């Protein structure tokens, strides 16, 4: 497996985004994130328009974190089980590991990396690795 992994996470719309009529244009299908171009989609005179309606990007992990009721909902724990335990396992084997979040402002980096007291994110979970995931650091 490659020694770099890339994950993408879709967050819910904010109240403001919802109020302003925002719509989620990303779909997760396994390890593929599909982005729909609404401008192309909604054109009635689309004839001859060669732009793609949907573009797909592959990732090592794709997380749908929009609605907790959804069966494919990825909680903070799901993200930790994939990414956090890998960090702990690798660190225990002596590897130098770097985990970082990249994305535009408001996209959910702090929520994923730090979280909230009610929804603890990756970094505190990794720091509590011994308690959260004893097997990982005993390896
Ligand atoms: N997976 C998620 N589930 C629920 N709410 C989320 C999720 N991700 C982000 N949010 C909410 O979206 C808002 C923006 O997220 P956040 O502050 O983490 O963005 P950011 O990428 O750190 O932005 P900035 O670059 O400005 O620091 C916050 O109110 C946060 O609670
Ligand atoms: Mg932030």
């Amino acid at each position: 497996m490659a020694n770099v992994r890339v994950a993408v996470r879709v967050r819910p719309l904010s109240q403001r985004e919802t109020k302003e009529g925002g719509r989620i244009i990303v779909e997760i299908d396994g390890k593929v994130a599909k982005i729909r171009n609404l401008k192309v989609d909604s054109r009635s005179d689309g004839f001859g328009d060669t732009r793609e309606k949907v573009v797909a990007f592959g990732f090592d992990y794709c997380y749908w974190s929009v609605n907790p009721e959804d069966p494919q909902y990825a909680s903070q724990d799901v993200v930790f089980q994939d990414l956090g335990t890998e960090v702990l396992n690798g660190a225990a084997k002596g590897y130098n590991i770097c985990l970082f979040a990249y994305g535009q402002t408001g996209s959910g980096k702090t929520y994923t990396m730090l979280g909230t007291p009610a929804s603890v994110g990756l970094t505190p979970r990794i720091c509590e690795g011994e308690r959260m995931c004893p097997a990982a650091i005993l390896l």
Side-chain angles (χ1 to χ4, degrees):
M1 206 193 252
N3 54 13
V4 176
R5 315 244 203 296
V6 184
V8 66
R9 189 176 196 185
V10 185
R11 67 152 171 78
L13 292 177
S14 66
Q15 279 185 346
R16 184 174 152 204
E17 287 163 341
T18 305
K19 208 165 132 199
E20 290 174 352
R23 285 164 61 186
I24 292 181
I25 59 160
V26 184
E27 228 177 83
I28 296 299
D29 182 3
K31 293 184 172 192
V32 175
K34 296 176 181 169
I35 301 177
R36 180 171 292 274
N37 185 339
L38 294 178
K39 285 186 186 152
V40 177
D41 216 19
S42 57
R43 275 177 68 131
S44 51
D45 61 341
F47 181 74
D49 193 330
T50 55
R51 288 179 300 167
E52 281 187 90
K53 279 189 187 175
V54 177
V55 284
F57 299 93
F59 294 88
D60 296 295
Y61 301 98
C62 290
Y63 300 116
W64 179 258
S65 299
V66 173
N67 175 6
E69 313 294 306
D70 196 309
Q72 66 166 337
Y73 177 75
S75 63
Q76 299 282 58
D77 190 50
V78 167
V79 175
F80 171 75
Q81 292 305 333
D82 286 342
L83 305 177
T85 57
E86 270 202 75
V87 169
L88 288 166
N89 280 325
K93 288 178 191 154
Y95 290 108
N96 288 318
I97 300 188
C98 171
L99 180 66
F100 68 91
Y102 172 85
Q104 75 175 56
T105 190
S107 56
K109 302 179 294 293
T110 301
Y111 183 90
T112 293
M113 297 300 279
L114 195 60
T116 63
S119 182
V120 176
L122 264 177
T123 311
R125 285 173 191 259
I126 290 169
C127 293
E128 286 181 24
E130 194 172 7
R131 189 170 66 80
M132 303 289 292
C133 187
I137 64 159
L138 288 176
L139 284 174

